[in-house]
Amino acid sequence: EIVLTQSPATLSLSPGERATLPCRASQSISNYLAWYQQKPGQAPRLLIHDASNRATGIPARFSGSGSGTDFTLTISSLEPEDFAVYYCQQRSIWPLTFGGGTKVEIK
Amino acid sequence: EVQLVESGGGLVQSGGSLRLSCAASGFTFSSYWMHWVRQGPGKGLVWVSVIKSDEGDTSYADSVKGRFTISRDNAKSTMYLQMNSLRAEDTAVYYCARGAYRSGPKGTLDYWGQGILVTVSS
């Protein structure tokens, strides 16, 4: 099973700051990585698929990069609605697995 | 507009059974692989099961294999998860999610339902 490690578990930032969220895979997963955003009491929302492709309707301030084992989600300038939990997910090897999540909180 | 609506959750005793439903609308349901994902209280996301678009191939997480059965009725645009021999550790919010078009069984999950709570009491 592929283990996805998201560290730190919490990022404390201010609106307008840049957020950099890493995700590391226990073995190479090519570019088969997605990022999701989840707000309290809501379902996850797809942000990025295949490492760097924004999903439909996702603002340009969200970007993804990486391949192999190291990936990054970047939010160029945090808006108030971006404070949430972010999960990475791999679809390279069964079973599909998710990272433990990074919470982006207001500093 | 794509919509996925789960139902059938609730409180059940350990060892009991429950069947979840996921009603889909706003897209051609029969063209997409569909998944179940769960999230324990205060925990992260865990993939549970997937079913092929044509009601054929299925796959399960080891933790539920032999206890849960995924199925679908394309005529009703509905997916199901029959959960038997439930355990306390199955307590979670269960989400249905659509696999991205033509991405096969290991797809990105591009739309999610709002989730339904299943509580297993010991």
Coordinates of all heavy atoms in Angstrom, one line a residue, chain A residues 6 9 36-44 84-88 98-103, chain B residues 37-47 63 87-95 112 117-118:
Chain A
Q6 N 1.7 13.8 4.7 CA 1.5 15.2 4.6 C 2.0 15.8 5.9 O 1.5 15.6 7.0 CB 0.0 15.6 4.4 CG -0.5 15.1 3.0 CD -1.9 15.6 2.8 OE1 -2.9 14.8 2.8 NE2 -2.1 16.9 2.5
A9 N 1.1 18.9 9.8 CA -0.4 18.6 10.0 C -1.2 19.9 10.0 O -2.3 19.9 9.5 CB -0.7 17.8 11.2
Y36 N -7.4 17.5 -2.8 CA -8.8 17.9 -2.4 C -8.8 18.8 -1.3 O -7.9 18.8 -0.4 CB -9.6 16.6 -2.0 CG -9.6 15.5 -3.0 CD1 -8.6 14.6 -3.1 CD2 -10.7 15.4 -3.9 CE1 -8.7 13.6 -4.0 CE2 -10.7 14.4 -4.9 CZ -9.7 13.5 -4.9 OH -9.7 12.5 -5.9
Q37 N -9.9 19.7 -1.3 CA -10.1 20.6 -0.2 C -11.3 20.2 0.6 O -12.3 19.8 0.0 CB -10.3 22.0 -0.7 CG -10.6 23.1 0.3 CD -11.2 24.3 -0.4 OE1 -12.2 24.4 -1.0 NE2 -10.4 25.4 -0.3
Q38 N -11.3 20.2 1.9 CA -12.5 19.9 2.7 C -12.7 20.9 3.8 O -11.8 21.2 4.6 CB -12.4 18.5 3.3 CG -13.7 18.1 4.0 CD -13.6 16.7 4.6 OE1 -12.6 16.2 5.1 NE2 -14.7 15.9 4.5
K39 N -13.8 21.5 3.8 CA -14.2 22.4 4.9 C -15.1 21.7 5.9 O -15.7 20.7 5.6 CB -15.0 23.6 4.3 CG -14.1 24.4 3.3 CD -14.8 25.6 2.7 CE -13.9 26.4 1.8 NZ -14.6 27.5 1.1
P40 N -15.2 22.2 7.1 CA -16.0 21.5 8.2 C -17.4 21.2 7.8 O -18.1 22.1 7.2 CB -15.9 22.5 9.4 CG -14.6 23.2 9.1 CD -14.5 23.4 7.6
G41 N -17.8 20.0 7.9 CA -19.2 19.6 7.6 C -19.5 19.5 6.1 O -20.6 19.3 5.8
Q42 N -18.4 19.6 5.3 CA -18.7 19.5 3.9 C -17.9 18.3 3.3 O -17.0 17.7 3.9 CB -18.2 20.8 3.2 CG -19.0 22.0 3.6 CD -18.6 23.2 2.7 OE1 -18.0 23.1 1.7 NE2 -19.0 24.4 3.2
A43 N -18.3 17.9 2.1 CA -17.6 16.9 1.3 C -16.3 17.4 0.8 O -16.2 18.6 0.6 CB -18.5 16.4 0.2
P44 N -15.4 16.6 0.5 CA -14.2 17.0 -0.2 C -14.5 17.5 -1.6 O -15.5 17.1 -2.2 CB -13.3 15.7 -0.3 CG -13.8 14.9 0.8 CD -15.3 15.2 0.9
A84 N -8.9 25.6 5.4 CA -9.6 24.3 5.3 C -8.6 23.2 5.5 O -7.4 23.5 5.7 CB -10.3 24.2 3.9
V85 N -9.0 22.0 5.3 CA -8.1 20.9 5.3 C -7.8 20.4 3.9 O -8.8 20.3 3.1 CB -8.6 19.7 6.2 CG1 -7.6 18.5 6.1 CG2 -8.9 20.2 7.6
Y86 N -6.6 20.1 3.5 CA -6.2 19.6 2.2 C -5.7 18.2 2.3 O -4.8 17.9 3.1 CB -5.2 20.6 1.6 CG -5.8 22.0 1.4 CD1 -5.9 22.9 2.4 CD2 -6.4 22.3 0.1 CE1 -6.5 24.2 2.2 CE2 -7.0 23.5 -0.1 CZ -7.0 24.4 0.9 OH -7.6 25.7 0.7
Y87 N -6.2 17.4 1.4 CA -5.7 16.0 1.3 C -5.1 15.7 -0.1 O -5.7 16.2 -1.1 CB -6.9 15.0 1.5 CG -7.5 15.0 2.8 CD1 -8.7 15.8 3.1 CD2 -7.0 14.3 3.9 CE1 -9.2 15.8 4.4 CE2 -7.6 14.3 5.1 CZ -8.7 15.0 5.4 OH -9.3 15.0 6.6
C88 N -4.1 15.0 -0.1 CA -3.6 14.4 -1.4 C -4.0 13.0 -1.5 O -4.4 12.3 -0.5 CB -2.0 14.5 -1.5 SG -1.1 13.7 -0.1
F98 N -5.1 8.0 0.6 CA -5.1 9.5 0.9 C -4.0 9.8 1.9 O -3.7 8.9 2.8 CB -6.4 9.9 1.5 CG -7.6 9.8 0.5 CD1 -8.3 8.6 0.4 CD2 -8.0 10.9 -0.2 CE1 -9.4 8.5 -0.5 CE2 -9.1 10.8 -1.1 CZ -9.8 9.7 -1.2
G99 N -3.5 11.0 1.9 CA -2.6 11.5 2.9 C -3.5 11.8 4.1 O -4.7 11.8 4.1
G100 N -2.8 12.1 5.3 CA -3.5 12.4 6.5 C -4.1 13.8 6.6 O -4.8 14.1 7.5
G101 N -3.7 14.6 5.6 CA -4.3 16.0 5.5 C -3.4 17.0 6.2 O -2.7 16.8 7.1
T102 N -3.5 18.2 5.6 CA -2.9 19.4 6.2 C -4.0 20.5 6.4 O -4.7 20.8 5.5 CB -1.8 20.0 5.3 OG1 -0.7 19.1 5.3 CG2 -1.3 21.3 5.9
K103 N -4.1 20.9 7.7 CA -5.1 22.0 8.0 C -4.4 23.3 7.8 O -3.3 23.6 8.4 CB -5.6 21.8 9.4 CG -6.6 22.8 9.8 CD -7.1 22.6 11.2 CE -8.2 23.7 11.6 NZ -8.7 23.5 13.0
Chain B
V37 N -16.1 6.2 -0.2 CA -15.0 6.6 0.6 C -15.6 6.9 2.0 O -16.7 7.5 2.1 CB -14.3 7.9 0.0 CG1 -13.2 8.4 1.0 CG2 -13.8 7.6 -1.4
R38 N -14.9 6.6 3.1 CA -15.4 6.9 4.4 C -14.4 7.8 5.2 O -13.2 7.8 4.9 CB -15.7 5.6 5.1 CG -14.6 4.8 5.6 CD -15.1 3.5 6.2 NE -14.0 2.6 6.7 CZ -14.2 1.4 7.2 NH1 -15.5 0.9 7.3 NH2 -13.2 0.7 7.6
Q39 N -14.9 8.4 6.2 CA -14.1 9.3 7.1 C -14.6 9.1 8.5 O -15.7 9.5 8.9 CB -14.3 10.7 6.6 CG -13.4 11.7 7.4 CD -13.4 13.1 6.7 OE1 -14.4 13.5 6.2 NE2 -12.3 13.8 6.7
G40 N -13.7 8.5 9.3 CA -14.1 8.3 10.7 C -14.1 9.6 11.5 O -13.6 10.6 11.0
P41 N -14.7 9.7 12.6 CA -14.9 10.9 13.4 C -13.5 11.6 13.6 O -12.6 11.0 14.3 CB -15.5 10.5 14.7 CG -16.1 9.2 14.5 CD -15.3 8.5 13.4
G42 N -13.3 12.8 13.1 CA -12.1 13.5 13.3 C -10.9 13.0 12.6 O -9.7 13.3 12.9
K43 N -11.2 12.1 11.6 CA -10.0 11.4 10.9 C -10.0 11.7 9.5 O -10.8 12.6 9.0 CB -10.2 9.9 11.1 CG -10.1 9.5 12.6 CD -10.0 8.0 12.8 CE -9.7 7.6 14.2 NZ -9.6 6.1 14.4
G44 N -9.1 11.1 8.8 CA -8.9 11.4 7.3 C -9.8 10.5 6.5 O -10.6 9.7 6.9
L45 N -9.5 10.6 5.2 CA -10.3 9.9 4.2 C -9.8 8.5 3.9 O -8.5 8.3 3.8 CB -10.4 10.7 2.9 CG -11.0 12.1 3.0 CD1 -10.6 13.0 1.8 CD2 -12.5 12.0 3.2
V46 N -10.7 7.5 3.8 CA -10.2 6.2 3.5 C -11.1 5.6 2.4 O -12.3 5.6 2.5 CB -10.4 5.2 4.7 CG1 -10.0 3.8 4.4 CG2 -9.5 5.8 5.9
W47 N -10.5 5.2 1.3 CA -11.2 4.6 0.2 C -11.8 3.2 0.6 O -11.1 2.4 1.3 CB -10.3 4.4 -1.0 CG -10.9 3.7 -2.1 CD1 -11.7 4.2 -3.1 CD2 -10.8 2.3 -2.5 NE1 -12.1 3.2 -4.0 CE2 -11.5 2.0 -3.6 CE3 -10.1 1.2 -1.9 CZ2 -11.6 0.8 -4.2 CZ3 -10.2 0.0 -2.4 CH2 -10.9 -0.2 -3.6
S63 N -10.0 -3.9 4.6 CA -10.7 -3.8 5.9 C -12.2 -4.1 5.8 O -12.9 -4.4 6.8 CB -10.6 -2.4 6.4 OG -11.1 -1.4 5.5
R87 N -18.8 -3.3 12.5 CA -17.9 -3.2 13.7 C -17.9 -1.8 14.1 O -18.2 -0.8 13.3 CB -16.5 -3.7 13.4 CG -16.4 -5.1 12.8 CD -15.1 -5.3 12.2 NE -14.9 -6.6 11.6 CZ -13.9 -7.0 10.8 NH1 -13.0 -6.1 10.5 NH2 -13.9 -8.2 10.3
A88 N -17.5 -1.5 15.4 CA -17.4 -0.1 15.9 C -16.4 0.7 15.0 O -16.7 1.9 14.8 CB -16.9 -0.2 17.3
E89 N -15.4 0.1 14.5 CA -14.4 0.8 13.6 C -15.0 1.2 12.3 O -14.3 1.9 11.5 CB -13.1 0.0 13.5 CG -13.3 -1.4 13.0 CD -13.3 -2.4 14.1 OE1 -13.9 -2.1 15.2 OE2 -12.8 -3.5 13.9
D90 N -16.2 0.7 11.9 CA -16.8 1.1 10.7 C -17.6 2.4 10.8 O -18.1 3.0 9.9 CB -17.8 0.0 10.2 CG -17.1 -1.3 9.8 OD1 -16.0 -1.2 9.2 OD2 -17.6 -2.4 10.2
T91 N -17.7 2.9 12.1 CA -18.3 4.2 12.3 C -17.6 5.3 11.5 O -16.4 5.5 11.7 CB -18.3 4.5 13.8 OG1 -19.1 3.6 14.5 CG2 -18.8 5.9 14.1
A92 N -18.4 6.0 10.7 CA -17.8 7.0 9.8 C -18.9 7.7 9.0 O -20.0 7.2 9.0 CB -16.8 6.3 8.8
V93 N -18.5 8.8 8.4 CA -19.3 9.4 7.4 C -18.9 8.7 6.1 O -17.7 8.6 5.8 CB -19.1 10.9 7.3 CG1 -19.8 11.5 6.0 CG2 -19.6 11.6 8.5
Y94 N -19.9 8.2 5.3 CA -19.7 7.5 4.1 C -20.0 8.4 2.9 O -21.2 8.9 2.9 CB -20.5 6.2 4.0 CG -19.9 5.1 4.9 CD1 -20.0 5.2 6.3 CD2 -19.2 4.1 4.3 CE1 -19.4 4.2 7.1 CE2 -18.6 3.1 5.1 CZ -18.7 3.2 6.5 OH -18.2 2.2 7.3
Y95 N -19.1 8.6 2.0 CA -19.3 9.4 0.8 C -19.4 8.5 -0.4 O -18.5 7.6 -0.5 CB -18.1 10.4 0.6 CG -18.0 11.5 1.7 CD1 -17.0 11.3 2.7 CD2 -18.7 12.6 1.7 CE1 -16.9 12.3 3.7 CE2 -18.6 13.6 2.7 CZ -17.6 13.4 3.7 OH -17.5 14.4 4.6
W112 N -18.4 14.5 -5.3 CA -18.7 13.8 -4.1 C -20.1 14.2 -3.6 O -20.5 15.3 -3.8 CB -17.7 14.2 -3.0 CG -16.2 13.9 -3.3 CD1 -15.5 14.3 -4.3 CD2 -15.4 13.0 -2.5 NE1 -14.2 13.8 -4.2 CE2 -14.1 13.0 -3.1 CE3 -15.6 12.3 -1.3 CZ2 -13.0 12.3 -2.6 CZ3 -14.5 11.6 -0.8 CH2 -13.2 11.6 -1.4
L117 N -23.9 9.6 7.7 CA -23.3 9.0 8.9 C -23.8 7.7 9.3 O -25.0 7.4 9.3 CB -23.5 10.0 10.1 CG -23.0 9.6 11.5 CD1 -21.4 9.5 11.4 CD2 -23.4 10.5 12.6
V118 N -22.8 6.8 9.5 CA -23.1 5.4 10.0 C -22.4 5.3 11.4 O -21.2 5.5 11.5 CB -22.5 4.4 9.1 CG1 -22.7 3.0 9.7 CG2 -23.3 4.4 7.7

